[in-house]
Amino acid sequence: MNIEDYHGVWVFLEHKSGSIVPVSLELLGAGRRLADKRGVSLAGILIGDGVKPLAEHAIAYGADCVYVYDAPIFKYYRTESYMKAIIAGCQKYKPEIFLYGGTSTGKDLASAVATDLATGLTADTTMLDVDAETGLLEASRPAFGGNIMATILCKKDRPQMATVRPKVVKALEPDYSRAGEIMEEPVELREEEIRTKVLDIVRFAVQRIRLDEADIIVAGGKGLGGKAGFEMIREFANTIGASVGASRDAVEAGWIEHHAQVGQTGVTVTPKIYFAIGISGAIQHLVGMQNSGLIIAINQDPNASIFQACHYGIVGDAFQIVPLLTQAFQQALGK
Ligand code: FAD
């Protein structure tokens, strides 16, 4: 492999229900910065059935060019078909850096592409930079239980790939006057070449607001002592219109579903207000919520680490404080 042959930054443009997902727009912002630092172009790759109209949004959010693989074979996400389109694009255009959102689709796809292209992939990145001279992508992520940040380099192979957590980088303000190129790529893939067949799509009605999109989160930890403690904070959350989050220890105790876990191995959140109730403030939890606008902690241990990370701290028993807060908000809001 001649590394000098590889140029440009690419972003996989994941889409859902006819829109590019937020993390892909965020990555166009991050990719723009990397591409400008390197003096190269930023491209998006869009795969799907009837997705070409989305390309103009990617240009507005910072792409110079969008490669579109638009065909019925891409109607549903399947690892094999999407992977083959990406590999065709990489072999033809040789990008030096390739970014994916850290969603279930992005993680699935990136690992398949990295394996097939025999290149390096840094998973779950929380910070990105590039060395302008060498072109080495500096992909940083928590390592060794979150105690250090490791910056991972891929020196010998291209493209240098990373999946990036949602909400750790910012999207640019869209500018629909930006000019860019939309390249319709040929699709030679045949259905017989794809082993996975989608027989049916079963949709579940999801009532809750996704944690990574919530403006207010009330999160509980081991200090809540059990499911009853979570009922208590759920009542508070419902009163103030918040979503409920949790520490890993509370999830592992079976007090709340896994999707509520905030932190290194859970969701990264940046709500306007984050209540941490009965949570000690371990680094693995903090990395998932420390960028929240306002952090309010309730803990009975005045030396708990969460008090180093919060804006307001209440030292005391959650079982006394939370019902008082619920009552006060119910009165104030006339509920
Ligand atoms: P504890 O540390 O047990 O803290 C409970 C707190 O509740 C204490 O501070 C106590 O003073 C307080 N308390 C007790 N009773 C009351 C009361 N009545 N009122 C008020 N306060 C009270 N953790 C995560 O959260 N998310 C992750 O994604 C995550 N990933 C991890 C990945 C790895 C590789 C590893 C090794 C660990 C990970 N952890 C994660 C676990 C993390 O290290 C901590 O163990 C965990 O966050 C602790 O959860 P906690 O704060 O609920 O429990």
Side-chain angles (χ1 to χ4, degrees):
M1 163 174 300
N2 187 1
I3 284 178
E4 305 301 315
D5 294 343
Y6 288 75
H7 294 284
V9 178
W10 278 30
V11 171
F12 169 62
L13 299 172
E14 189 176 335
H15 53 88
K16 210 179 212 171
S17 313
S19 305
I20 299 176
V21 301
V23 66
S24 296
L25 301 176
E26 291 159 18
L27 289 186
L28 287 171
R32 183 72 267 160
R33 192 171 46 80
L34 300 179
D36 289 346
K37 198 164 168 189
R38 273 291 281 160
V40 295
S41 67
L42 171 68
I45 177 166
L46 191 55
I47 308 169
D49 183 16
V51 288
K52 193 177 160 212
L54 297 180
E56 64 171 276
H57 299 296
I59 291 168
Y61 277 88
D64 298 310
C65 169
V66 181
Y67 298 104
V68 183
Y69 292 79
D70 201 329
I73 200 163
F74 301 124
K75 182 169 164 71
Y76 299 114
Y77 172 72
R78 287 179 291 175
T79 315
E80 262 180 306
S81 56
Y82 272 53
M83 178 184 93
K84 283 176 196 273
I86 288 184
I87 288 168
C90 287
Q91 285 170 344
K92 187 168 167 186
Y93 295 106
K94 299 192 184 331
E96 56 187 297
I97 293 173
F98 203 136
L99 308 175
Y100 304 75
T103 59
S104 40
T105 299
K107 289 180 191 172
D108 176 64
L109 189 56
S111 53
V113 172
T115 308
D116 203 276
L117 291 178
T119 190
L121 166 68
T122 305
D124 245 355
T125 306
T126 54
M127 272 190 300
L128 289 169
D129 205 350
V130 69
D131 184 314
E133 291 296 308
T134 61
L136 279 177
L137 177 69
E138 296 164 358
S140 302
R141 53 156 296 156
F144 296 109
N147 289 320
I148 60 159
M149 286 297 284
T151 299
I152 296 165
L153 308 178
C154 171
K155 291 187 171 173
K156 293 187 182 150
D157 297 297
R158 293 292 180 274
Q160 309 165 80
M161 305 213 312
T163 60
V164 183
R165 285 189 178 200
K167 295 214 176 188
V168 297
V169 288
K170 278 209 164 82
L172 299 172
E173 279 302 314
D175 173 3
Y176 283 88
S177 66
R178 282 192 86 241
E181 219 178 334
I182 299 174
M183 307 272 281
E184 281 188 78
E185 293 295 314
V187 178
E188 280 148 22
L189 204 56
R190 283 172 299 117
E191 188 57 47
E192 304 83 81
E193 294 172 56
I194 311 297
R195 283 167 298 185
T196 317
K197 308 292 171 204
V198 178
L199 303 180
D200 195 9
I201 303 277
V202 181
R203 296 192 192 277
F204 290 93
V206 178
Q207 301 291 332
R208 65 194 159 83
I209 300 174
R210 286 174 46 140
L211 263 196
D212 56 4
E213 291 170 2
D215 277 342
I216 311 176
I217 294 175
V218 175
K222 204 68 192 290
L224 291 183
K227 285 189 176 173
F230 271 87
E231 281 312 309
M232 174 181 77
I233 65 161
R234 202 176 292 281
E235 194 189 352
F236 175 47
N238 287 342
T239 304
I240 60 171
S243 293
V244 176
S247 70
R248 187 170 90 168
D249 287 22
V251 169
E252 285 183 347
W255 301 341
I256 183 156
E257 309 87 337
H258 183 259
H259 62 68
Q261 183 177 318
V262 172
Q264 184 188 318
T265 40
V267 197
T268 301
V269 297
T270 47
K272 290 181 182 147
I273 308 175
Y274 188 90
F275 286 90
I277 306 179
I279 293 178
S280 58
I283 182 71
Q284 297 89 352
H285 188 81
L286 296 181
V287 293
M289 44 62 80
Q290 62 197 358
N291 292 330
S292 304
L294 184 72
I295 300 170
I296 301 168
I298 303 174
N299 197 304
Q300 65 183 12
D301 175 5
N303 298 314
S305 315
I306 193 73
F307 289 129
Q308 306 298 318
C310 69
H311 301 95
Y312 293 101
I314 304 173
V315 179
D317 181 358
F319 290 90
Q320 288 180 356
I321 296 160
V322 175
L324 290 176
L325 285 175
T326 308
Q327 211 182 357
F329 276 100
Q330 280 170 344
Q331 276 170 8
L333 298 169
K335 288 191 175 180

